[in-house]
Amino acid sequence: MQPDCSSRLIWRRRLDFQLEIIPPPRAMTRQCLWMPLALLLLLGLADLSFGSADEHEDYYMQEMLTREHYNQVQVPETPITSPPDGQGQPRRSETMPKGKGESDKKADKGIAPAKSAPNKKMAKSKKNTLKDSNSASEGVGQFTSIKEECPPIGLETLKIDDFQLHASSTKRYGLGAHRGRLNIQAGLYEDDLYDGAWCAGRNDPLQWFEVDARRLTRFTGVITQGRSSLWSSDWVTSYKVMVSNDSHSWVTLKNGSEDLIFLGNREKEIPVRNIFPSPVVARYIRVNPCSWFHSGSICMRVEILGCPLPDPNNYYHRRNEVITTDDLDFKHHGYKEMRQFMKVVNELCPNITRIYNIGKSQNGLKLYAIEISDNPGEHEVGEPEFRYTAGSHGNEVLGRELLLLLMQFMCLEYLSGNQRIRHLVEETRIHLLPSVNPDGYEKAFEVVALETRALIAWMEKMPFVLGGNLQGGELVVTFPYDRTRSQGVAREQTPTPDDHVFRWLAFSYASTHRLMTDANRRACHTEDFAKEDGTINGASWHTAAGSMNDFSYLHTNSFELSMYVGCDKFPHESELPEEWENNRESLLVFMEQVHRGIKGVVRDLQGRGIANAVISVEGINHDIRTAADGDYWRLLNPGEYKVTARAEGYSFTSKKCEVGYKMGATRCDFTIGRTNLSRIREIMEKFNKQPIKLPVRQLQARRSRERHLGTS
């Protein structure tokens, strides 16, 4: 049934292909434009003319499910007691069954329920519970029958600031509570100010790690890791959870009449998620280690799962809340969902989009790209080529989702008449490659060579002028060179001849990002890039052998940078709207920089374009070459430059070209003629004759005799 855009209800496809009816957003125009896309999604476009891949080949989806569920730990139905000395693994009580029967399997399913809507009675009971609950103890009692999950409250993404984290004791400042964030990374050396976990000052069962949510929150689970360290092995193997509304009176989660003890980590890096048997409402939550690795100490990295309860008067929430007005598909997309989504965007905007693939991954998955331009599939003289890529690591999915959102956003805004987007589309040939590595992180070490060859062939085929590679895990933009040039030096400033241009390009993205240049924001891991304006030379941060950015600069015309667009490589689905708001303006502004510098065409005396002509700028030891039609683009900062055009068999010519501060490249065309030698060679080859080549000594003797005869 075709839904009516004027009605107050719209259809939206859920990830499990079920339908739900939801209230429409305010922007009805954009909603109506997106209706055909939603309908196409419903029509089952999974089997499209893209080729196919088996379920087990989609390693991205496997990684997504692994991250979604982490290592689910079954909450036992009978008590688990901790050892009296606080060391080693927790000891199960004698009533605990040894085998795993049907009841255990059901219990597993109960701990991590599927995302299904609760029945009406449960929803009504839940609503009343939220309204009447006044204390943590009441919350525990009233949620005993409810199994649900909530997203992370934001330790990893820095939504929870350092002042909201507390601990019973601390080994030293670098291992304080503010470092107890999931996936936080340590510095290279011990005793660093930025170490890789919270570590207690003493090893005893009285230690705790506390989070203040600053508002009533329905807590549903905890995710833990050990300490990030090259030299130490520290992790917690079991723990209790306590909650409070005033940080003085604490209630421990119970399993019957005994304290509930959760199994923790078995090593320091793999996250382990525990879902509470029932949600609990409180403001404060504590993790109380009961046992830990026998050769290590009490150290933890933590994320809390929770849903904040509605509270319009909460100052802290209103201050940090980010709301998007864009009605986009804020969901995670596996490989099949990604290609289906790209197909639907193409169906909605067929006149400005084209889908193609640049090659295949190690496992045979096609590397799909989408082109957005007013003449898809054709390179137009004078129109620059731009590209974004993402997903070079399978576990860094934020860039992938941002590019899918970007193509949807540009399609909808173009149809809505957004002049800024229309100008970009009509004046630029834009290419978006959402997943460089669809096989995923687990197979990354096997697939690098094949996908790298596909990328290189793509870059050599397309005359790209500017590009960005979206990655995750930090908030910074890096620019070449990414590899140091000094032998045996791991980190040092290694600028290119176009360093001033790269610095401007990097700053154009970082300065328009919501967080990168915020001096008050907290560092993601160990380095505060905000004091560097959110940018850094790649080699001075960490050297990267085989950098595609370096290859692109040295062997093609394109200037490539890497954007680390978020602290969390794999944000929860509920955090995608905020991540989009953080990066939307930056994505657009950086694309617009492709129109900065000079552009033109190099022609011969007959007006024909000369391919592969060299464009040199005086004072910058880096040349570019013209495309097949003789057109070129050269990125430059504002200023006056002496530019020279030359080609094999042609004379060279120079002129002054001035770059202004307004957006838009300065036109700088060249006309060059053939040299006398090249014309002679052309004539000789035309008549199948070769010029006579004499040895140098014979030629000198011949000229000497001619001069002697002339004087006698």
Side-chain angles (χ1 to χ4, degrees), residues 112-129:
K115 295 182 179 179
S116 57
N119 57 44
K120 294 181 179 179
K121 291 183 179 180
M122 183 178 292
K124 185 175 181 180
S125 172
K126 175 180 172 182
K127 186 175 181 181
N128 294 336
T129 302

Side-chain angles (χ1 to χ4, degrees), residues 366-379:
K366 293 180 180 179
L367 308 180
Y368 289 113
I370 191 168
E371 176 191 342
I372 304 176
S373 70
D374 61 345
N375 192 13
E378 297 291 335
H379 171 73

Side-chain angles (χ1 to χ4, degrees), residues 476-535:
V476 68
V477 180
T478 68
F479 52 88
Y481 290 119
D482 290 337
R483 186 177 183 180
T484 60
R485 295 300 189 260
S486 301
Q487 190 73 20
V489 178
R491 290 186 181 185
E492 68 174 356
Q493 282 282 344
T494 311
T496 67
D498 282 290
D499 188 60
H500 56 296
V501 178
F502 274 114
R503 288 182 180 275
W504 167 255
L505 294 171
F507 184 71
S508 71
Y509 193 99
S511 62
T512 50
H513 190 279
R514 285 189 61 253
L515 300 175
M516 281 190 187
T517 56
D518 183 0
N520 296 319
R521 76 168 178 87
R522 189 192 179 286
C524 290
H525 299 290
T526 62
E527 299 188 54
D528 184 7
F529 295 108
K531 63 185 180 182
E532 302 291 340
D533 292 326
T535 68

Side-chain angles (χ1 to χ4, degrees), residues 438-489:
D439 293 339
Y441 179 74
E442 297 298 326
K443 298 290 182 178
F445 65 93
E446 296 179 1
V447 302
V448 170
L450 192 60
E451 278 125 356
T452 298
R453 285 197 295 269
L455 281 174
I456 291 174
W458 188 40
M459 289 189 293
E460 291 176 340
K461 179 181 179 181
M462 299 287 190
F464 292 116
V465 177
L466 178 62
N469 177 30
L470 305 189
Q471 302 187 44
E474 259 299 350
L475 280 171
V476 68
V477 180
T478 68
F479 52 88
Y481 290 119
D482 290 337
R483 186 177 183 180
T484 60
R485 295 300 189 260
S486 301
Q487 190 73 20
V489 178

